Amino acid sequence: MKETKPQFRFQCHASPVLWLCFILGSCLFLSLANWQLQKGLAKKSETLQQLDMKRHSIFTLDQAYDQWKQEPTSINDIKIELTGKLLSSPFILHDNRIYQGTAGYGVYAPFQLDTPLHGATTMLINLGWAMVPGYDRQAIPQLELTQETTQISVLLEHIYPDVFTLESMTETLQDQPPILRIQKIEFSSLEKELNTSLIPFVGRSTTQTTKEKLPLMTSPLQERGISVEKHFGYSAQWLIFWFISIGIFLYTQCTWYDKLQK
């Protein structure tokens, strides 16, 4: 006797009301996914345009300061040239800075300005990132400037007061030359420690200033608001919810059966 192959038939039991709910839910999930995708694309485009404008526009420290007073984060990644003297006394190690998944230090040094700005004579310059030698926190990175630096190109960065609030104390790791380890960048405390008046934001060096090349920090320490990546992540999240709703609908409302057995 010839064996008959099963011939499956699909049947949906959903009522018109359930179909309406499924369609409305699908429209909701897809519209939310598209909304987050468009916001991510728009923010990415805006960010690239702002970054390109900042890095190709000529700003002075005075202009940057006025802009910082209006909106602190608006100075992030503005490129300016500073004239003065980069000091190695003291080097400042900002603890727990992550670079490519490894914890280390953000290395800062004071830059004495030729022309004070509103009474401030010094700006903190981020020279790059240094790893903890041998992962031993008692060991100290060997830091030395290449030469006397009198002009430096930096990207400005606003530091939020609530970033890295593990502790507030400053440790002196080494006396000659002085090396300080800090848990957070607190300008008022550092002014007392350095006995100087600081510009209320920092500059990330775009040139090598130490004999041992340090990886340069490439982005502000903390961004506020939803990032481009999060917008794309939320978009993917709503798509996943949509696929899950399809699966639940098919599993609960639809069946496959062998029509030859009916």
Side-chain angles (χ1 to χ4, degrees):
M1 183 177 178
K2 186 176 180 180
E3 184 178 352
T4 304
K5 293 183 179 180
Q7 297 182 15
F8 290 105
R9 179 182 173 186
F10 173 78
Q11 185 174 5
C12 181
H13 312 290
S15 66
V17 174
L18 284 175
W19 270 109
L20 179 62
C21 292
F22 173 71
I23 292 172
L24 291 176
S26 295
C27 291
L28 175 64
F29 289 143
L30 291 176
S31 63
L32 288 171
N34 182 65
W35 174 57
Q36 289 292 344
L37 176 63
Q38 295 304 319
K39 285 178 71 70
L41 292 173
K43 188 164 188 177
K44 182 178 181 180
S45 176
E46 180 184 0
T47 300
L48 290 174
Q49 289 177 3
Q50 290 178 349
L51 184 60
D52 184 68
M53 180 189 70
K54 287 179 180 179
R55 293 189 175 181
H56 290 86
S57 299
I58 300 175
F59 285 85
T60 65
L61 188 56
D62 286 310
Q63 291 172 327
Y65 181 82
D66 290 339
Q67 191 163 319
W68 174 83
K69 288 203 303 183
Q70 296 177 21
E71 173 52 51
T73 57
S74 66
I75 67 163
N76 285 346
D77 289 315
I78 285 180
K79 185 175 183 179
I80 65 172
E81 301 289 332
L82 298 176
T83 56
K85 184 179 180 181
L86 184 64
L87 308 175
S88 61
S89 179
F91 282 117
I92 300 168
L93 304 180
H94 188 195
D95 206 355
N96 200 32
R97 294 297 297 271
I98 307 299
Y99 178 79
Q100 295 184 349
T102 302
Y105 301 113
V107 180
Y108 288 81
F111 188 90
Q112 191 172 18
L113 300 168
D114 279 346
T115 306
L117 177 66
H118 300 287
T121 58
T122 309
M123 174 183 277
L124 284 184
I125 304 298
N126 186 319
L127 307 183
W129 178 88
M131 70 177 298
V132 179
Y135 301 100
D136 179 7
R137 287 183 57 80
Q138 300 304 314
I140 302 170
Q142 297 302 307
L143 303 169
E144 187 178 352
L145 297 180
T146 53
Q147 56 187 3
E148 185 175 292
T149 303
T150 58
Q151 187 171 10
I152 189 171
S153 177
V154 299
L155 299 177
L156 299 181
E157 177 180 347
H158 170 69
I159 301 292
Y160 287 101
D162 56 350
V163 172
F164 293 126
T165 55
L166 300 176
E167 298 175 13
S168 59
M169 70 178 194
T170 299
E171 298 177 83
T172 301
L173 301 181
Q174 183 174 303
D175 291 330
Q176 296 296 330
I179 292 183
L180 306 177
R181 180 164 60 195
I182 61 176
Q183 297 291 339
K184 63 178 179 178
I185 297 176
E186 192 176 60
F187 289 101
S188 58
S189 298
L190 285 172
E191 284 181 330
K192 295 177 182 178
E193 191 72 34
L194 302 176
N195 193 28
T196 188
S197 179
L198 292 172
I199 301 291
F201 45 85
V202 304
R204 300 194 319 275
S205 172
T206 58
T207 55
Q208 182 179 343
T209 54
T210 55
K211 287 188 176 180
E212 182 179 350
K213 187 174 182 180
L214 301 177
L216 300 179
M217 310 300 281
T218 57
S219 60
L221 193 148
Q222 183 187 48
E223 294 284 1
R224 292 297 173 95
I226 299 178
S227 65
V228 173
E229 292 75 15
K230 283 187 177 181
H231 279 301
F232 290 155
Y234 290 147
S235 177
Q237 170 187 284
W238 289 117
L239 279 176
I240 291 171
F241 287 162
W242 179 59
F243 283 120
I244 291 174
S245 68
I246 292 177
I248 293 174
F249 183 81
L250 292 176
Y251 182 77
T252 58
Q253 301 300 320
C254 304
T255 57
W256 290 85
Y257 66 95
D258 183 356
K259 68 179 182 180
L260 295 180
Q261 296 178 0
K262 296 294 181 180

